[in-house]
Amino acid sequence: MKRNSILLLVVVMVLSLFLTACGSAEPEAAQPSDSTEPAEVAEPTAEDPITLKFLHRWPDELYDGFFNDMAREYETANPGIIIDVQAIANDPFKEKIKVVLGTDEAPDVFFTWPGEFTNRFIRAGKVMDLTDVMMKDNYIDNYVASQMEPFTVDGKIYGAPVRVDGKIFVYNKEMFAQAGVEIPETWEEFVSVCEQLDAAGIVPIAFGNQAPWAVSHYIGTLNQKIVGEPIHAAYDPAVGDFSDPGFVTALEEFERIVPYFNKNTNAIKHSEARENWMASKAAMMYIEIVEIPEITRNGPAEIQDNYGVFEFPEYVGGNGDQTLLTGYPEGFVVSNTTKHPEEAIAFFKYITGKEVGLKEANAVGWLNGAKGIAKKGEISDSLYENTQIIYNAGGLVNWLDSGMHAKVTNEYLTDLQMLIDGLLTPQEVIDNVQEVATEVTSEF
Amino acid sequence: MKFGKKNYWLYILPAILLIGTFVYVPIIQNFYFSLFKMNSYTDEKIFVGLSHYVRIFKDDVFYTSLKNNITYALISVICQVGLGTVLAILIESKLTGRLRNFYRNVLFMPSLISVTAVGLLWYFIYNPNVGMLNALLTKIGLENLTHAWLAEPNVAIYSIIAMSQWQYTGYIMVLILVAIQKIPQELFEAAEIDGANGIQKSLFVIIPNIKEMLLVTSVITVIGAFKLFTEIYVMTMGGPYNTTQVLGTYLYQSAFMFDEMGYASAIAVIIFTITFTASIIQIRMAKSGKG
């Protein structure tokens, strides 16, 4: 009797161990071997609806409300489909998406940043290859070609934009007049504008770097303009070569404008800095075009007719193409493990398409990647003009932080905070980054 | 089947199974995972042996984290247990009079608020431009003491520690109050007859009689210090440049930001070892206290 009980105990213990240990392996086995092949699913009906999980990254009422409205409209037009809309805010999204993609509860259509951020999921087989879908009847022609490039990896297409974007300077016209300065055309002029504003007792640049992706936008742009082509080899996690002297030069140039930021940059959030700029506490700010609607909606009346935009000034003598614009679209992709590939693709086409795009432009002030939306008169003038900056650019340069391997990004951004505080020299920053980048290459 | 004396373990079997499945198996699994290179979104695992541990001991951020945890533990024990005891004695003394319950509740209140809410509250208090703290310092003429509290590397971690003391000293104080109230009244009377004053009563009657509780509260604060996470996550995310990183947040970032589940598991093993050792030491001490 006693022996039996012990046996029972052992069996139960082993079983429990086995069950917990298997947890992570199960989803893989459950996947269809070729998920682009439509699984055998019955036509969805109102009685037996199909639920698609849709994950985006804007929990704020305005944006989340918009996507929910779009989902409801889609449900009405497509009986038998239920769209389960979920939203996670920017910074936590970066962490949580990795966890949900590891489970078999992964969202069917989800948000992502193109570049290395997405590439690692592509390498892990989590993102559906949409090349066939896009090539069939030239469906891809429905999108603005330049905005689809970021979603193309090794010749395969994986997604489409939810909003196009680019980084520009906004400036306070009154303050510029007060200091007697004009829009700078070159980097040297830009530095001198900062000097003159400062001399006039105006804080030249509003900057909030508590979450250090903010600084990465400056450095990403300077790297592109000064270093040029070699940035691609540097950011590629498999190569990671930061030996080009331009990387140090870029930081040295950046150091020249550090004195012209507001105080306590590491203590202020980017959004707080924007508030300060809107309240006319600083003359300029380097922001994303998608933030302009924020100024229109929430800025005080005094700023509305009192601001203008200009592009990042040219770096004379830089090796990079000076017509390129820092800024990448953000987009949606389809999960490779979705149980309803056909329905997921259909919804993906809808949410990145022209119909939603037009409503999006007017409701939230963003432009998605569909062709034929950016027409004068159909969308607001400022949105139209800013969009032209994106479309007229010689090309787009990915955000530094989503363009590189997470570990390299972390080292780079942490060190940049220290550079701003004067604790590291440009050379030391690049040495540290190179060290981590080399470490990372060993994983490829 | 007959339930004889020897079958006592059958009664504890359900508990063992539950604890085993949800506590011991994960701990063992965690150690196993620390030997692999893996991330959260693929099933691929590469065996790397003990190299994560080798790396940990060369990792500057790990040492910063450990130092911050230890600093937090030391300050917490001194402030929460030390100051908490003093406050408890004061509240129990005749000085507080009719306002006794009022003081107790006011001091206890902060520990009832969720850490996230407290973190946000203090985030605004510490804000360098619009925050209350800098405004207050400026008002009373101490402008040179103003700081960007959460952004200056030498100040940030102490700002967070200070917030925790504000939150938890009252909690520890209440635990000690309970212990003081359990001391037999005769002891105080005897001391009074012997002519002891307030301080003497505290030192020679109260402290020796609440020794057990002081040990328990020390264990709670030290273990709490090594489990620190939410405060940092809400207020600084470990920044500026990792100076407020603690083991908990570093583990989290390694796992979910840098895609290094294995390395994070190794950090978890270290945290486990530290808290486990701390508990054993303090349990031993508590036993010797009895004897």
Side-chain angles (χ1 to χ4, degrees):
Chain A
M1 174 202 70
K2 195 177 170 188
R3 192 176 295 160
N4 283 344
S5 320
I6 289 173
L7 198 71
L8 183 79
L9 177 74
V10 169
V11 167
V12 174
M13 286 291 249
V14 168
L15 203 68
S16 68
L17 203 104
F18 178 73
L19 281 175
T20 43
C22 277
S24 55
E26 240 165 7
E28 185 68 43
Q31 283 164 29
S33 55
D34 183 3
S35 34
T36 47
E37 199 84 36
E40 277 183 43
V41 238
E43 269 302 289
T45 59
E47 290 81 43
D48 188 20
I50 284 178
T51 304
L52 291 177
K53 284 201 213 71
F54 169 56
L55 177 67
H56 67 86
R57 70 157 186 92
W58 295 282
D60 328 41
E61 177 51 35
L62 176 70
Y63 312 114
D64 192 37
F66 170 75
F67 284 115
N68 269 298
D69 290 347
M70 291 303 105
R72 296 297 89 80
E73 282 182 25
Y74 189 76
E75 286 169 354
T76 317
N78 298 274
I81 304 273
I82 293 174
I83 307 291
D84 175 10
V85 183
Q86 295 163 357
I88 306 175
N90 187 351
D91 282 317
F93 183 93
K94 294 171 189 168
E95 297 142 25
K96 286 184 181 130
I97 185 68
K98 294 169 193 166
V99 182
V100 292
L101 288 185
T103 68
D104 48 0
E105 292 298 299
D108 300 285
V109 176
F110 60 94
F111 171 89
T112 188
W113 288 274
E116 179 52 27
F117 187 87
T118 307
N119 294 354
R120 59 181 151 192
F121 300 138
I122 294 175
R123 285 196 295 270
K126 297 291 173 188
V127 184
M128 190 187 284
D129 176 0
L130 298 173
T131 317
D132 293 343
V133 176
M134 288 292 177
M135 287 309 158
K136 197 178 170 195
D137 305 328
N138 287 329
Y139 188 80
I140 193 165
D141 290 345
N142 292 308
Y143 298 100
V144 178
S146 67
Q147 298 302 318
M148 289 302 283
E149 261 173 43
F151 295 93
T152 311
V153 181
D154 296 332
K156 290 177 185 158
I157 304 162
Y158 290 94
V162 56
R163 63 174 193 185
V164 301
D165 200 2
K167 197 87 177 174
I168 50 171
F169 276 101
V170 284
Y171 71 100
N172 186 310
K173 287 180 179 166
E174 206 178 294
M175 288 177 157
F176 264 45
Q178 209 180 318
V181 292
E182 303 269 309
I183 293 177
E185 301 262 308
T186 66
W187 177 251
E188 288 305 319
E189 283 175 30
F190 179 75
V191 177
S192 114
V193 163
C194 289
E195 272 167 24
Q196 291 172 58
L197 285 163
D198 192 44
I202 297 166
V203 176
I205 307 169
F207 184 46
N209 195 36
Q210 196 203 39
W213 55 259
V215 67
S216 79
H217 292 177
Y218 275 102
I219 305 306
T221 309
L222 282 168
N223 279 352
Q224 183 275 318
K225 293 202 183 293
I226 295 173
V227 179
E229 276 305 302
I231 55 169
H232 300 298
Y235 300 164
D236 183 346
V239 184
D241 175 14
F242 283 86
S243 61
D244 192 292
F247 288 108
V248 177
T249 316
L251 296 186
E252 283 165 357
E253 292 296 340
F254 176 70
E255 271 188 321
R256 293 173 68 194
I257 61 162
V258 168
Y260 302 118
F261 292 138
N262 47 251
K263 268 192 264 167
N264 303 322
T265 55
N266 291 342
I268 300 174
K269 288 181 183 162
H270 179 76
S271 56
E272 287 175 66
R274 192 176 60 218
E275 296 286 329
N276 290 341
W277 177 82
M278 292 197 294
S280 302
K281 285 182 184 162
M284 297 182 279
M285 185 162 171
Y286 197 33
I287 66 166
E288 292 169 43
I289 284 172
V290 293
E291 291 175 63
I292 302 270
E294 201 68 37
I295 300 173
T296 323
R297 275 194 296 266
N298 301 331
E302 303 84 67
I303 198 76
Q304 298 304 345
D305 297 320
N306 188 28
Y307 79 93
V309 304
F310 62 89
E311 288 176 55
F312 199 97
E314 181 186 342
Y315 188 87
V316 179
N319 290 329
D321 180 348
Q322 302 297 317
T323 65
L324 300 192
L325 179 71
T326 297
Y328 237 29
E330 297 164 304
F332 288 121
V333 294
V334 181
S335 163
N336 206 16
T337 58
T338 176
K339 291 180 190 79
H340 314 288
E342 228 171 309
E343 291 77 9
I345 290 170
F347 179 71
F348 161 83
K349 282 179 173 173
Y350 163 79
I351 203 77
T352 60
K354 187 176 174 184
E355 185 193 342
V356 169
L358 272 171
K359 289 174 185 158
E360 186 177 317
N362 291 312
V364 295
W366 296 339
L367 224 57
N368 72 8
K371 252 186 207 163
I373 297 172
K375 286 192 184 131
K376 215 175 169 103
E378 282 192 30
I379 54 176
S380 77
D381 284 350
S382 80
L383 181 59
Y384 176 79
E385 278 153 33
N386 295 326
T387 311
Q388 293 316 303
I389 298 180
I390 300 174
Y391 289 165
N392 294 337
L396 298 176
V397 186
N398 196 357
W399 311 112
L400 186 66
D401 57 339
S402 48
M404 296 189 303
H405 191 278
K407 269 156 96 178
V408 185
T409 305
N410 178 60
E411 182 68 33
Y412 215 152
L413 301 196
T414 309
D415 285 6
L416 285 172
Q417 275 191 327
M418 296 178 82
L419 179 92
I420 294 170
D421 277 3
L423 298 172
L424 285 180
T425 66
Q427 186 64 52
E428 283 167 340
V429 172
I430 296 303
D431 287 349
N432 291 347
V433 171
Q434 180 64 71
E435 196 180 316
V436 176
T438 310
E439 219 178 277
V440 166
T441 53
S442 65
E443 295 171 16
F444 288 85
Chain B
M1 203 188 282
K2 204 174 80 188
F3 286 92
K5 257 190 182 172
K6 283 178 183 167
N7 287 323
Y8 59 88
W9 55 268
L10 266 179
Y11 297 96
I12 54 170
L13 184 65
I16 286 182
L17 278 181
L18 279 175
I19 296 175
T21 316
F22 294 109
V23 178
Y24 295 106
V25 173
I27 289 175
I28 294 162
Q29 257 191 324
N30 179 65
F31 179 75
Y32 171 75
F33 285 151
S34 74
L35 307 176
F36 290 87
K37 193 171 177 49
M38 53 194 273
N39 61 43
S40 56
Y41 50 89
T42 50
D43 297 324
E44 193 192 16
K45 285 208 288 271
I46 304 162
F47 183 76
V48 293
L50 291 171
S51 71
H52 281 148
Y53 294 92
V54 175
R55 208 178 108 198
I56 281 185
F57 290 109
K58 287 185 199 153
D59 188 341
D60 291 339
V61 182
F62 169 76
Y63 286 110
T64 313
S65 309
L66 189 62
K67 198 188 99 216
N68 284 339
N69 278 114
I70 294 172
T71 315
Y72 186 98
L74 285 176
I75 295 181
S76 295
V77 169
I78 293 168
C79 195
Q80 290 172 26
V81 182
L83 187 66
T85 311
V86 173
L87 286 173
I89 292 172
L90 283 176
I91 284 184
E92 269 305 298
S93 75
K94 296 189 177 84
L95 295 170
T96 47
R98 273 204 282 166
L99 287 173
R100 177 174 298 176
N101 285 349
F102 171 75
Y103 288 131
R104 190 193 59 202
N105 292 344
V106 164
L107 289 168
F108 183 63
M109 205 82 84
S111 67
L112 296 176
I113 314 172
S114 97
V115 184
T116 319
V118 167
L120 280 176
L121 181 77
W122 281 79
Y123 178 83
F124 289 116
I125 292 177
Y126 284 142
N127 185 301
N129 302 323
V130 293
M132 237 163 69
L133 186 55
N134 276 358
L136 184 76
L137 287 170
T138 315
K139 268 262 156 56
I140 59 174
L142 293 172
E143 221 167 337
N144 52 345
L145 286 184
T146 57
H147 285 282
W149 298 99
L150 294 173
E152 288 175 28
N154 301 324
V155 181
I157 187 69
Y158 296 102
S159 304
I160 296 176
I161 294 176
M163 175 194 82
S164 289
Q165 309 315 314
W166 172 84
Q167 188 175 15
Y168 291 120
T169 303
Y171 177 72
I172 300 294
M173 179 200 79
V174 168
L175 290 180
I176 294 171
L177 261 182
V178 174
I180 294 178
Q181 284 163 354
K182 273 165 58 186
I183 301 173
Q185 211 51 40
E186 295 83 43
L187 293 176
F188 289 105
E189 281 163 17
E192 267 164 37
I193 291 167
D194 286 346
N197 61 22
I199 293 173
Q200 285 166 327
K201 268 195 284 183
S202 309
L203 286 177
F204 302 116
V205 181
I206 297 180
I207 303 278
N209 278 295
I210 58 166
K211 216 156 96 187
E212 287 288 305
M213 184 54 89
L214 291 178
L215 275 168
V216 170
T217 49
S218 303
V219 179
I220 295 176
T221 37
V222 169
I223 291 178
F226 282 93
K227 293 201 305 198
L228 186 64
F229 176 79
T230 319
E231 287 86 343
I232 309 284
Y233 186 82
V234 174
M235 297 179 84
T236 63
M237 262 325 278
Y241 30 89
N242 292 325
T243 49
T244 59
Q245 206 72 265
V246 293
L247 293 174
T249 50
Y250 191 44
L251 178 158
Y252 181 85
Q253 291 193 353
S254 300
F256 300 116
M257 282 170 74
F258 315 144
D259 301 337
E260 296 196 289
M261 278 291 168
Y263 192 58
S265 295
I267 299 174
V269 170
I270 305 270
I271 299 178
F272 172 76
T273 315
I274 293 170
T275 47
F276 190 67
T277 319
S279 322
I280 288 184
I281 291 174
Q282 280 169 317
I283 290 168
R284 284 274 162 82
M285 278 169 67
K287 271 190 189 148
S288 69
K290 263 180 196 160

